[in-house]
Amino acid sequence: MNRAFDRAAGIWFGLSTGLFLALFWILHRVRLLIYDDAFIHLRIARNLALSGRAFWNPGERVMATSSPVWTVLLAVSGVWRHRACLSMLPIIEALLVAWCATLAFRIALVVLRGSWPDRGLARHVFPTLAGGGTILLLMSSAYAQMESPLAIGLLLAAAYSFLRGSRWGLVWLSFAALTRLEMLPLLALALVFAAGVRKVVDASIAAATVVAVFAGFLFWQFGVVLPNSMHAKSIGYGLSHSDAFGQFFPPRLTGHFFLCGLLGFFLCVLIDCSFGTRPAGEKDFRWLPAISFSWGMIVILEYTVESAMMFDWYLPLIYVPLLLGLLLYRPAGNASLWLRGTLLSTAILGLTTIMIHPVKSFARLLVPIVRGTPEAVGQFDGFAGFRVHQYFEVGATLHATCPSGRVMSPEIGALGFGFEGHVDDAFGIASPLALAFQPLRSGAASGGVPAGYVHALHPDVIVSYDFLATEVTNDAELMKEYRLTGITSAMHSSTTGRQIEAGWMGSRHLNVFVLRGGRCDTGAVASGLGNLRF
């Protein structure tokens, strides 16, 4: 018995270690894909570690972080120490993705016990699909160096604890809810249910205590418990309810198939859970896939009602629960043939449409993984990562030439990480005053720099790409007040040495406007920027 256990433990350890090393190698090769938003968390984590205040700008009580647990983890781990983040974050992300895949595999083994062959390779077919699908769905968030893998890992840890009969899954769920606040309603429902059955009082108290401690910390820090980003994004992007709903579904005909598959599957699950029964003495694990799938649908509804933007790196929060629900749900023993057939067909339809984009995206990702060059990475993401690199270098240059200046930008992450001084957010996530000028009345691109906000604050420096600086460049009065230095959006090829056009969203320059007669020496700033090479 002990030998069998030791052998199984050794196999699990070997497979998990191999998976982690493979993921780390992949993420390290494409580490330049890090997104601008990742640096927002890093700057706040740095301020928290150095000053004890999780502020974007020192002295401004604005809750810019939307992930309290992730921010605290970054602060404690020391990842925020300048360029170390590009080396350390892939390690953390690889660990988290490997953890998520392992949990998804183990959950599938438990849920399918008794309804699928328990011996040989057949036993591991669906668990392997669950683990592999989880990896593919989390990849976009992992190479972006965002917090979704942590949130999904904590959520799956809670689910696995419940399956194993452990009451402490509530504590895992509380940390998941504080990593991504969309999960707070799920935690609230779990606590209400626990209070009703009165069997997990100690775990419920522990989970409620975790939430209370974090809520108290947030209120002490900011005077609020919900981030300003939720309000800012609903204003800045100006999405309608239909736009917000449509962003969760693949374009064109595929989206209609996806929606039909999800709604059909959901209806069948409701019927089966209401009327289906299991043989006496057999454990019924239908509740977990049913809740998992339902939760994915609820988050879609949550974002639709709020008309909020859902970025690619947050989609796993929806698609992983949907994946596990579609893949693992098994109808009751007395389910009719038509119900079984409908569940199977809608599950296949939903799974196919969910996984099309992640599979195609990973296939494209193989090119920069193999080549490992900046230009290969840039061609994968439309040079969005190069844009982040430019922002960071410009921010570091501004910090060296004008550390006391006041900088404004519509994209504050990497710029604000490189420049450690005061950074005003023209979009409004970290600077609520900007929301009075968003969305732009001129019809310029959503999230651009509002000319009215510049007139109100007169920052020493404005940094923005062409398409987000339209209102500033079209304002004759501002163009007289500021000296413009344009940095070409082009990168040198590491293989040919030639310049590659790397403009983001059609921009040919990253524009740096320096206020004449302000805190910054326009000549020194222009000289420093002129020395940059990309």
Side-chain angles (χ1 to χ4, degrees):
M1 182 74 175
N2 289 336
R3 286 184 180 180
F5 177 81
D6 292 341
R7 183 167 174 262
I11 292 174
W12 272 109
F13 178 78
L15 290 174
S16 300
T17 303
L19 179 60
F20 160 71
L21 292 175
L23 288 168
F24 170 68
W25 180 76
I26 290 172
L27 296 176
H28 180 73
R29 296 284 285 180
V30 297
R31 62 192 180 280
L32 295 180
L33 287 174
I34 186 171
Y35 284 7
D36 192 67
D37 286 42
F39 286 99
I40 296 178
H41 293 298
L42 286 166
R43 174 175 163 124
I44 295 171
R46 180 174 64 196
N47 288 340
L48 176 60
L50 296 178
S51 68
R53 295 288 185 174
F55 297 163
W56 172 256
N57 287 316
E60 294 185 356
R61 296 182 71 193
V62 178
M63 186 177 173
T65 177
S66 58
S67 181
V69 170
W70 180 244
T71 301
V72 171
L73 176 63
L74 293 178
V76 172
S77 66
V79 176
W80 48 270
R81 296 182 187 277
H82 294 286
R83 295 181 186 271
C85 62
L86 289 180
S87 300
M88 292 182 64
L89 274 175
I91 299 175
I92 295 175
E93 295 287 348
L95 280 170
L96 291 173
V97 175
W99 182 42
C100 291
T102 303
L103 285 171
F105 185 93
R106 299 302 297 267
I107 287 171
L109 281 179
V110 176
V111 170
L112 297 178
R113 187 178 299 157
S115 61
W116 190 253
D118 282 339
R119 294 183 179 181
L121 293 177
R123 180 191 180 202
H124 298 97
V125 171
F126 280 96
T128 301
L129 290 175
T134 299
I135 291 174
L136 290 175
L137 289 171
L138 286 173
M139 193 56 66
S140 63
S141 184
Y143 64 63
Q145 318 293 357
M146 296 297 285
E147 73 273 18
S148 294
L150 175 60
I152 291 296
L154 292 168
L155 182 63
L156 294 179
Y160 188 63
S161 295
F162 289 136
L163 283 176
R164 303 293 293 180
S166 172
R167 65 187 68 182
W168 298 105
L170 284 170
V171 177
W172 288 110
L173 187 56
S174 66
F175 281 107
L178 293 166
T179 303
R180 286 305 307 170
L181 301 180
E182 296 92 335
M183 296 182 189
L184 280 173
L186 181 62
L187 174 63
L189 290 173
L191 289 174
V192 169
F193 177 78
V197 298
R198 299 181 181 180
K199 291 183 179 179
V200 288
V201 176
D202 49 353
S204 300
I205 292 174
T209 301
V210 170
V211 174
V213 168
F214 266 88
F217 171 76
L218 295 175
F219 193 81
W220 170 65
Q221 290 271 321
F222 310 110
V224 296
V225 294
L226 294 177
N228 183 59
S229 58
M230 298 170 66
H231 182 51
K233 290 175 182 177
S234 64
I235 292 176
Y237 292 113
L239 296 180
S240 65
H241 292 309
S242 60
D243 291 335
F245 184 72
Q247 67 187 326
F248 299 104
F249 302 100
R252 298 176 186 160
L253 191 60
T254 311
H256 298 296
F257 281 130
F258 187 30
L259 181 58
C260 290
L262 293 184
L263 292 177
F265 187 83
F266 185 64
L267 181 61
C268 290
V269 168
L270 286 179
I271 294 173
D272 188 55
C273 289
S274 300
F275 303 104
T277 58
R278 294 278 186 185
E282 181 182 321
K283 287 189 176 181
D284 189 354
F285 287 125
R286 285 179 303 165
W287 62 270
L288 188 123
I291 291 175
S292 178
F293 181 83
S294 301
W295 176 245
M297 299 288 284
I298 288 171
V299 177
I300 292 176
L301 183 62
E302 193 178 343
Y303 270 80
T304 301
V305 169
E306 295 175 357
S307 297
M309 174 69 79
M310 170 61 80
F311 295 103
D312 286 348
W313 52 91
Y314 293 142
L315 284 173
L317 300 173
I318 295 169
Y319 288 157
V320 171
L322 289 178
L323 168 74
L324 296 180
L326 289 166
L327 193 63
L328 303 182
Y329 189 83
R330 294 295 180 271
N334 65 337
S336 63
L337 186 60
W338 75 264
L339 184 61
R340 291 174 180 274
T342 307
L343 275 170
L344 178 61
S345 58
T346 53
I348 292 173
L349 187 60
L351 286 169
T352 303
T353 47
I354 280 179
M355 297 307 302
I356 282 177
H357 178 68
V359 170
K360 290 172 63 177
S361 179
F362 187 76
R364 290 182 56 240
L365 189 64
L366 291 175
V367 176
I369 290 173
V370 173
R371 293 182 180 176
T373 59
E375 54 264 38
V377 172
Q379 289 164 359
F380 171 79
D381 70 346
F383 296 98
F386 176 73
R387 145 183 152 262
V388 173
H389 176 57
Q390 275 200 313
Y391 269 130
F392 176 80
E393 295 297 340
V394 168
T397 301
L398 291 175
H399 188 71
T401 56
C402 185
S404 62
R406 186 167 187 163
V407 177
M408 179 185 290
S409 178
E411 299 181 289
I412 58 174
L415 178 73
F417 192 67
F419 180 78
E420 299 179 21
H422 191 102
V423 179
D424 288 304
D425 178 11
F427 185 75
I429 290 176
S431 305
L433 290 177
L435 296 178
F437 304 91
Q438 293 285 0
L440 303 185
R441 277 66 168 176
S442 64
S446 298
V449 181
Y453 192 44
V454 178
H455 281 293
L457 294 185
H458 280 89
D460 298 292
V461 183
I462 307 167
V463 183
S464 176
Y465 278 93
D466 291 336
F467 85 104
L468 292 175
T470 305
E471 281 203 1
V472 176
T473 54
N474 289 342
D475 192 306
E477 183 180 345
L478 289 178
M479 293 306 291
K480 290 179 181 178
E481 294 180 8
Y482 286 85
R483 173 179 174 176
L484 171 61
T485 299
I487 302 171
T488 304
S489 296
M491 66 188 300
H492 282 85
S493 171
S494 59
T495 53
T496 65
R498 294 183 300 177
Q499 280 198 330
I500 300 173
E501 185 63 37
W504 185 62
M505 301 291 287
S507 296
R508 303 193 58 148
H509 297 92
L510 176 58
N511 302 299
V512 181
F513 305 83
V514 183
L515 182 65
R516 303 178 191 274
R519 297 184 186 89
C520 301
D521 184 329
T522 55
V525 172
S527 176
L529 295 174
N531 292 328
L532 292 177
R533 294 292 181 270
F534 298 99

